[in-house]
Amino acid sequence: MNRKNSTKDQKSKMLSGVAIIIILAIFYLIRFSGTGFDMPLDLPSEATISAKLDKLEKLNKKLRNTKETRLKEKAKRKRLTQLTEAFWKTTGQIPASEIQRALEKTARKARVQMRTIGAPKVNETSENIREVELSVSINTQMKDLSRFIKEIDLARPRFFWDNCSIRPDRINDPRGVILSGKIKSYVLTKTATEFLLGKNEETENK
């Protein structure tokens, strides 16, 4: 008899537990379905949304300006590269000795022996350009000198003549000609060279 009562009590407790679960489920369903109760939502205000949109628009405008600036810099760099095609470029010291060797190589190519060549002299032409000046003297035949002048004009980076004179090697009995004067080359500084190579932009993007 007691066993039957115990079984009934267990079933009654089980049914009561199920009923409570069903009631809680219905309560939450009604609460969060929007029927009967308002579900509290943490939605941004209109002022907050407007501020976020303004900030987004400013960022988009800044991005557009940045793109336009980079396009202008790229076009400027391309134009300067064309204008300075004849110039030497350097990312370190001014290559005065290298320019002297290039001149000597040009003379050998034209089969001309330089009588003298002075040490290179570096002058500041502007903030981003340096001038390398070389004093030269050549004693040779006119046809060989013509070939040398042609090679100088074809050389890249370029050489430029300055204060040049040509005279006979002998007044009474000329056997050849003597050329004397200065030859100059122009070099872009490290800052200018890095700008043309786009290294400043690469650094900004890192």
Side-chain angles (χ1 to χ4, degrees), residues 84-168:
T84 59
E85 184 180 2
F87 290 13
W88 290 76
K89 315 293 190 301
T90 180
T91 54
Q93 298 296 321
I94 301 301
S97 298
E98 184 180 349
I99 292 173
Q100 180 175 343
R101 288 193 297 270
L103 178 60
E104 292 170 345
K105 182 179 178 180
T106 302
R108 288 194 300 270
K109 186 177 180 180
R111 298 190 294 277
V112 167
Q113 181 67 41
M114 288 191 176
R115 188 167 67 175
T116 60
I117 180 169
K121 180 182 178 182
V122 179
N123 303 311
E124 183 175 335
T125 303
S126 67
E127 182 180 354
N128 293 310
I129 300 175
R130 300 294 181 268
E131 175 191 84
V132 178
E133 178 183 288
L134 293 161
S135 297
V136 298
S137 178
I138 300 172
N139 189 344
T140 186
Q141 298 299 312
M142 191 63 205
K143 63 177 182 179
D144 296 330
L145 182 60
S146 298
R147 188 166 53 244
F148 175 67
I149 292 173
K150 181 180 179 180
E151 290 295 337
I152 287 290
D153 289 340
L154 293 175
R156 294 294 183 275
R158 286 203 61 183
F159 293 107
F160 299 89
W161 292 101
D162 185 43
N163 296 329
C164 176
S165 66
I166 301 174
R167 68 181 189 276

Side-chain angles (χ1 to χ4, degrees), residues 22 35 73 75 91 119 136 142 151 162 170 175 178 206:
I22 293 173
T35 58
E73 289 292 327
T91 54
V136 298
M142 191 63 205
E151 290 295 337
D162 185 43
R170 299 180 184 182
R175 301 291 178 87
I178 296 176
K206 290 182 179 178

Side-chain angles (χ1 to χ4, degrees), residues 77 87-95 122 126-130 186-201 203:
R77 188 179 297 116
F87 290 13
W88 290 76
K89 315 293 190 301
T90 180
T91 54
Q93 298 296 321
I94 301 301
V122 179
S126 67
E127 182 180 354
N128 293 310
I129 300 175
R130 300 294 181 268
Y186 294 94
V187 184
L188 294 180
T189 62
K190 178 181 178 181
T191 301
T193 300
E194 288 182 344
F195 173 77
L196 292 181
L197 296 176
K199 288 191 175 182
N200 293 344
E201 184 177 343
T203 302

